[in-house]
Amino acid sequence: MRIAASAAVLVLTLSACGFTAPRSNDGYANLDSPGMADTDRTMSLSLGPTMLHFAARFLDDDPETQILLRSLDGVRIRIYEVHGDSGRITQNFEHMGNKLDKDGWEPVMLVREEGELVKMYAKASDTGIQGLTIVSANDEEVVIVNVMGDIDPRYYRDVMVALDVDDAPEVQIAAMN
């Protein structure tokens, strides 16, 4: 019992000091699993501002990525292995999109390629983007990435490269409503 209490205090302490991505951030996307019965979570990573700023210190040769990391408040990545009905997972994607729409997120990209679906949503602020959420699925895996912070649209491609998004497209910046 004492160990469980100590672990709970440690988790609360770490989440309060910036090691994990903050749920209170305006760029936080509150998304459910893509399908409890159809997927198994294989990875969950949550980095807060303290860890991102720490990582930025080691990028002396890449000042743009260093600036980008310092502007972020959090990054959350979840990866799920698909073992069930991909039709239900596609249906859950629609529910995720509807939930994001209700929370003020705007769809900014949709890619449908053979056997793969990628959707990107952005949450705008007065100065740029306060959050990006990317949901990608194929028959084997679902990946959800949520980036929080003051993301200058000029650094969109840098975010995609830093997150290792294959074939990140060239982007022309358009004004968001």
Side-chain angles (χ1 to χ4, degrees):
M1 184 67 166
R2 229 173 175 194
I3 293 172
S6 296
V9 168
L10 179 63
V11 168
L12 289 173
T13 302
L14 289 177
S15 65
C17 66
F19 284 107
T20 61
R23 291 179 178 260
S24 61
N25 188 283
D26 288 334
Y28 178 84
N30 187 15
L31 295 174
D32 301 323
S33 164
M36 295 288 284
D38 301 309
T39 62
D40 289 320
R41 188 179 338 182
T42 58
M43 188 190 90
S44 182
L45 176 66
S46 179
L47 300 173
T50 301
M51 295 304 292
L52 294 168
H53 295 180
F54 179 75
R57 286 190 208 168
F58 297 98
L59 297 172
D60 294 333
D61 61 335
D62 192 353
E64 285 185 356
T65 304
Q66 194 175 47
I67 291 168
L68 173 68
L69 287 175
R70 287 190 176 128
S71 72
L72 297 180
D73 295 325
V75 175
R76 294 180 325 138
I77 302 171
R78 291 184 184 166
I79 300 176
Y80 300 86
E81 181 180 309
V82 174
H83 60 76
D85 184 357
S86 59
R88 277 196 305 243
I89 292 171
T90 301
Q91 208 172 26
N92 288 339
F93 259 56
E94 295 303 320
H95 294 299
M96 284 181 184
N98 293 338
K99 187 173 186 176
L100 288 170
D101 285 340
K102 288 178 187 174
D103 290 341
W105 292 79
E106 303 214 14
V108 294
M109 182 178 78
L110 171 65
V111 177
R112 288 182 198 257
E113 290 185 352
E114 188 176 317
E116 187 166 7
L117 175 66
V118 179
K119 291 184 176 185
M120 179 187 291
Y121 297 85
K123 193 160 189 187
S125 69
D126 293 338
T127 60
I129 298 171
Q130 59 190 10
L132 285 175
T133 298
I134 303 144
V135 184
S136 172
N138 59 35
D139 291 338
E140 299 172 8
E141 177 177 80
V142 175
V143 178
I144 300 171
V145 178
N146 178 216
V147 180
M148 297 162 266
D150 188 20
I151 304 165
D152 186 324
R154 292 178 296 177
Y155 295 117
Y156 164 82
R157 180 153 171 74
D158 293 336
V159 170
M160 296 301 100
V161 170
L163 295 174
D164 197 24
V165 176
D166 293 334
D167 302 322
E170 290 294 327
V171 175
Q172 294 180 353
I173 305 303
M176 295 182 71
N177 297 341

